[in-house]
């Protein structure tokens, strides 16, 4: 006897579940309800459609209801909202939004893929006509039409996450003066502060008015927006406001049906994505998942995990149960010319959980340094102190960021260590990499730390150590020092270090830095083997300079 499966919601999770289930089982009756007009669209591409990079709107539509019906024989019902689940009767109550008709539909299995809704703050003016969120195709249509017809000269983007940064880029490209307001002290919470500092400096250099550590409290205007008010008391002119504060899992339907909600606010599911009702599954942005690295309960609203979950639910319903192994939060964003990518855990998360870890920084070129072009990346690796297991990575740069973050994301999924990174044989030709790829190199740096061949200090530790009597040693060339140095540092170029060891005290800790960390490691090895107490500063002057520059802007009010 054939089964009947009802799927609530399309896009990444629901549409994937429907298509996979049909490929596995030709007999199952599949009904998909979608309250909007579109069942499967590229929501990650919406900012690029608004900005005109994607010109053909139809290319955003991954699958249409008609095509889904023809190819997969799925009963697709758009403009149909499921307003109630009756688990005891194994039915859902549906409202046809076009006609107002309400009816019930039975199911053997129910798959919930309701997604998440944009966070709209409860403040005056949030409903003014030129205040927008961007979550679906109609949202992007409305923003695009407003930009093309009104040509706003000023805009305020609220939120420094992926959507906020992408929309800031779009508006800048349209010639609009952009202010980005973020309540936290940094953009992109997945980054650690010293990595976010690089992004802050770039945004300011590109002309974005960055307001960190401040919060939107009111939106003002007679009809449309004219200005916004911040918690600091400052007011900013604005002819357009984009709310990119974040998303909240849509769980009201599940909650009213008596399904368990997890401590994160997402629908609670087991490893097979089954809810507290054995006949109801849930997937996508609405569910609570396990962090792949830490095992903690988290919300990770990303398209890749949603697609995977949809496929696995279909496998389980079709009799091929496969567990979901968790999400690691791999993500990437383009900000004008800059690329920012993350995977796994950051320091903030591990500190909060009390987990031991080590971290290191490198600044490699994306390809062979003798090959023309290429701007150095800033790479950060986080790993276990005992076995060197890779826990997380962050990269900020231009070329080659996507390639390296994908390798490191794969390493985390495979349970690899920093020593495994050293062994990876990655594609090499001068236009693309170096004989020792940046992934290999950061593996070597991390491996030296695990093996005790180098002791590292980080820039946030330096002031405290200096106050305790440490000496700061700059081992760069005189010309490099003239271009910028840390005040109070003693300069001895690494190539002259052996002949000038008598100038250094053996009763003090010596903190060594160079431009990016390589020469300071060499200097550290010389010093330790001559009886000095030393530490090499991870990331060198380049990391310090960005953090110091960002701090100066923040404290100076240009934040």
């Amino acid at each position: 006897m054939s089964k009947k499966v009802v799927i609530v919601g399309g896009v990444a999770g629901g549409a994937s579940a429907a298509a996979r289930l049909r490929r596995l089982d030709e007999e199952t009756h599949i009904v998909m309800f979608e309250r909007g007009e579109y069942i499967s669209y590229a929501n990650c591409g919406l900012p690029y459609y608004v900005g005109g990079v994607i010109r053909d709107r139809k290319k955003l539509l991954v699958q249409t209801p008609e095509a889904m019906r023809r190819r997969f024989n799925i009963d697709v019902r758009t403009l149909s909202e499921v307003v109630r689940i009756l688990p005891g009767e194994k039915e859902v109550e549906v409202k046809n939004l076009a006609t107002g008709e309400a009816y019930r539909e039975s199911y053997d299995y129910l798959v919930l893929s309701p997604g998440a809704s944009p966070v709209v703050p409860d403040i005056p003016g949030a409903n003014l006509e030129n205040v927008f969120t961007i979550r679906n195709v109609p949202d992007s249509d409305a923003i695009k039409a407003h930009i093309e017809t009104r040509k706003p000269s000023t805009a305020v983007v609220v939120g420094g996450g992926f959507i906020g940064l992408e929309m800031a880029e779009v508006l800048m490209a349209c010639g609009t003066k952009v202010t980005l307001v973020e309540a936290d002290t940094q953009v992109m919470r997945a980054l650690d502060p010293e990595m976010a500092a690089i992004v802050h400096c770039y945004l300011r250099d590109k002309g974005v008015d960055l307001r960190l550590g401040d919060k939107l409290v009111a939106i003002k205007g007679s009809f449309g927006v004219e200005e916004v008010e911040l918690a600091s008391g400052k007011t900013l002119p604005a002819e357009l406001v984009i709310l990119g504060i974040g998303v909240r899992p849509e769980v009201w339907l599940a909650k009213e049906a008596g399904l368990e909600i997890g401590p994160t606010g997402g629908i609670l599911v087991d490893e097979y994505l089954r809810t507290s009702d054995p006949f109801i599954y849930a997937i996508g942005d609405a569910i609570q998942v396990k962090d792949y690295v830490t095992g903690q309960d988290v919300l990770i609203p990303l398209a890749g995990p949603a697609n995977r979950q949809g496929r696995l639910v279909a496998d389980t319903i079709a009799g091929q149960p496969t567990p979901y192994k968790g999400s690691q939060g791999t993500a990437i964003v383009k900000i004008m010319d800059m690329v920012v990518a993350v995977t796994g855990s950051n320091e903030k998360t591990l500190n909060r959980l009390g987990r031991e870890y080590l971290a290191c920084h490198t600044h490699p070129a994306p390809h062979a340094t003798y090959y023309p072009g290429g701007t150095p990346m800033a790479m950060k690796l986080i790993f276990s102190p005992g076995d060197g297991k890779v826990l997380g990575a962050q990269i900020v740069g231009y070329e080659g960021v996507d390639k390296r973050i994908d390798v490191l994301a794969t390493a985390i999924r495979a349970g690899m260590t920093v020593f495994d990174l050293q062994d990876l044989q990655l594609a090499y030709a001068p236009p693309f990499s170096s004989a020792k790829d940046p992934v290999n190199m950061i593996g070597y740096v991390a491996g030296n730390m695990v093996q005790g061949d180098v002791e590292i200090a980080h820039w946030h530790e330096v002031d405290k150590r200096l106050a305790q009597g440490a000496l700061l040693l700059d081992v760069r060339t005189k010309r490099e020092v003239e271009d910028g140095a840390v005040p109070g540092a003693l300069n001895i170029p690494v190539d002259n270090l052996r002949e000038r060891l008598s100038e250094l005290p053996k009763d003090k800790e010596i903190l060594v830095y160079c431009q990016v960390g390589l020469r300071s490691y060499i200097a550290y090895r010389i010093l330790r083997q001559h009886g000095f107490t030393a530490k090499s500063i991870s990331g060198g002057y380049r990391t310090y300079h960005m953090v110091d520059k960002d701090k100066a802007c923040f404290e100076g009010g240009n934040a």
Side-chain angles (χ1 to χ4, degrees):
M1 184 176 177
S2 65
K3 300 184 290 287
K4 182 176 181 181
V5 177
V6 168
I7 300 173
V8 180
V11 197
S16 295
R20 172 67 173 172
L21 186 56
R22 176 58 74 226
R23 291 194 297 271
L24 294 176
D25 187 343
E26 184 66 17
E27 301 301 321
T28 291
H29 181 193
I30 305 171
V31 182
M32 179 190 291
F33 291 109
E34 170 57 52
R35 64 188 170 198
E37 295 181 60
Y38 308 100
I39 58 164
S40 184
Y41 57 87
N43 55 355
C44 296
L46 296 178
Y48 303 108
Y49 167 63
V50 172
V53 176
I54 299 171
R55 297 185 179 278
D56 186 352
R57 183 176 180 275
K58 291 180 181 178
K59 290 185 177 180
L60 292 173
L61 307 179
V62 180
Q63 192 65 270
T64 65
E66 295 75 18
M68 199 85 169
R69 291 186 190 103
R70 284 196 305 270
R71 178 165 296 181
F72 296 106
N73 187 28
I74 292 170
D75 183 357
V76 179
R77 305 181 198 178
T78 57
L79 296 175
S80 298
E81 183 175 13
V82 174
V83 295
R84 189 181 174 201
I85 303 170
L86 299 97
E89 290 88 342
K90 295 178 76 172
E91 290 182 340
V92 293
E93 186 175 312
V94 185
K95 182 178 181 180
N96 186 319
L97 299 179
T99 65
E101 172 196 3
Y103 61 95
R104 290 188 180 187
E105 191 76 30
S106 64
Y107 64 83
D108 292 309
Y109 292 99
L110 179 65
V111 179
L112 300 178
S113 181
S117 56
V119 174
V120 178
D122 184 17
I123 59 172
N127 295 320
L128 287 172
E129 67 171 21
N130 45 348
V131 177
F132 299 96
T133 59
I134 180 164
R135 186 66 179 169
N136 53 39
V137 175
D139 289 345
S140 61
D141 287 338
I143 298 171
K144 187 175 179 67
H146 182 84
I147 293 172
E148 291 176 349
T149 57
R150 304 287 184 87
K151 295 180 172 52
S153 60
T154 57
V156 171
V157 176
V158 185
F162 292 95
I163 289 294
L165 292 170
E166 288 171 346
M167 286 307 301
E169 173 187 358
V170 165
L171 292 165
M172 291 287 288
C174 293
T176 305
K177 171 63 178 174
V178 176
T179 300
L180 193 149
V181 178
E182 169 56 56
D184 200 351
T185 55
Q186 68 167 79
V187 301
M188 288 197 69
R189 294 180 185 180
L191 291 175
D192 285 315
E194 79 280 13
M195 300 297 284
I198 305 169
V199 183
H200 298 165
C201 293
Y202 178 79
L203 289 169
R204 293 187 184 104
D205 288 346
K206 288 294 184 179
V208 176
D209 182 7
L210 193 57
R211 305 284 176 141
L212 300 174
D214 212 343
K215 188 177 180 180
L216 183 71
V217 294
I219 303 173
K220 299 178 179 181
S222 301
F223 300 101
V225 176
E226 296 171 6
E227 64 179 20
V228 301
E229 182 181 339
L230 305 182
S232 62
K234 297 175 182 176
T235 59
L236 305 170
E239 298 168 40
L240 170 68
V241 172
I242 302 289
L243 298 176
I245 300 171
V247 294
R248 183 179 292 116
E250 283 211 23
V251 299
W252 63 270
L253 192 61
K255 188 179 290 187
E256 289 183 3
L259 302 181
E260 287 188 43
I261 306 299
T264 64
I267 300 171
L268 189 67
V269 295
D270 65 12
E271 62 180 332
Y272 294 97
L273 303 164
R274 188 184 291 109
T275 70
S276 52
D277 183 307
F279 300 100
I280 303 177
Y281 296 81
I283 56 179
D285 296 355
I287 69 170
Q288 173 179 291
V289 296
K290 292 291 183 183
D291 184 294
Y292 185 77
V293 175
T294 67
Q296 298 296 301
D297 294 326
V298 290
L299 297 172
I300 299 184
L302 294 172
N307 270 288
R308 177 64 175 159
Q309 293 156 15
R311 180 184 177 92
L312 295 182
V313 159
D315 287 354
T316 298
I317 292 174
Q320 301 177 17
T322 306
Y324 183 64
K325 297 179 181 179
S327 300
Q328 67 191 68
T330 304
I332 190 167
V333 63
K334 173 183 172 294
I335 312 168
M336 290 169 268
D337 298 324
M338 179 174 274
V339 181
V340 182
V342 297
T343 188
S345 292
N346 57 24
E347 285 197 68
K348 291 177 287 188
T349 298
L350 296 173
N351 283 329
R352 188 179 71 247
L353 298 175
R355 290 275 297 270
E356 289 189 359
Y357 66 88
L358 295 172
C360 65
H361 301 79
T362 60
H363 295 274
H367 52 64
T369 54
Y370 57 81
Y371 188 86
T375 302
M377 298 176 278
M379 295 180 68
K380 179 174 184 175
L381 190 71
I382 301 171
F383 48 98
S384 297
D387 57 9
K389 185 175 181 180
V390 181
L391 303 176
Q394 302 164 37
I395 309 177
V396 180
Y398 301 87
E399 294 178 53
V401 171
D402 53 343
K403 171 182 175 177
R404 276 70 188 206
I405 203 69
D406 283 345
V407 173
L408 293 168
T410 303
I412 291 173
R413 184 61 54 160
M416 295 170 70
T417 71
V418 298
F419 304 105
D420 294 319
L421 299 184
Q422 300 172 10
D423 279 335
L424 291 177
Q425 297 181 27
L426 303 173
Y428 160 59
F432 305 105
S433 184
S434 299
K436 287 187 284 191
D437 188 85
V439 171
N440 300 133
M441 287 305 302
I442 205 164
Y444 284 122
V445 172
N448 285 338
M449 293 173 63
V450 173
Q451 291 175 321
D453 292 334
V454 65
E455 289 185 68
I456 290 292
H458 294 283
W459 274 110
H460 67 267
E461 303 171 324
V462 171
D463 286 345
K464 180 179 178 180
R465 291 183 180 276
L466 292 178
Q468 294 170 344
L471 172 71
L472 193 58
L473 177 63
D474 186 335
V475 295
R476 298 176 300 157
T477 65
K478 183 178 179 181
R479 180 163 185 176
E480 287 176 293
V481 172
E482 289 172 351
D483 289 338
V486 183
L490 172 65
N491 176 225
I492 303 177
V494 66
D495 293 338
N496 306 121
L497 184 58
R498 289 183 181 88
E499 63 201 55
R500 295 178 60 180
L501 289 175
S502 61
E503 299 176 33
L504 298 172
K506 285 197 171 181
D507 61 346
K508 288 186 177 183
E509 180 180 58
I510 301 172
L511 304 176
V512 193
Y513 78 90
C514 60
Q515 191 69 11
V516 297
L518 175 59
R519 284 171 291 174
S520 66
Y521 165 63
I522 296 169
Y524 168 90
R525 294 300 304 165
I526 294 171
L527 292 170
R528 287 304 301 265
Q529 291 178 80
H530 283 83
F532 292 89
T533 301
K535 281 187 169 62
S536 174
I537 298 177
S538 182
Y541 182 73
R542 187 165 290 164
T543 297
Y544 164 80
H545 176 64
M546 283 298 177
V547 173
D548 191 56
K549 182 179 176 181
D550 182 44
K551 183 180 178 182
C553 289
F554 188 86
E555 292 177 348
N558 185 24

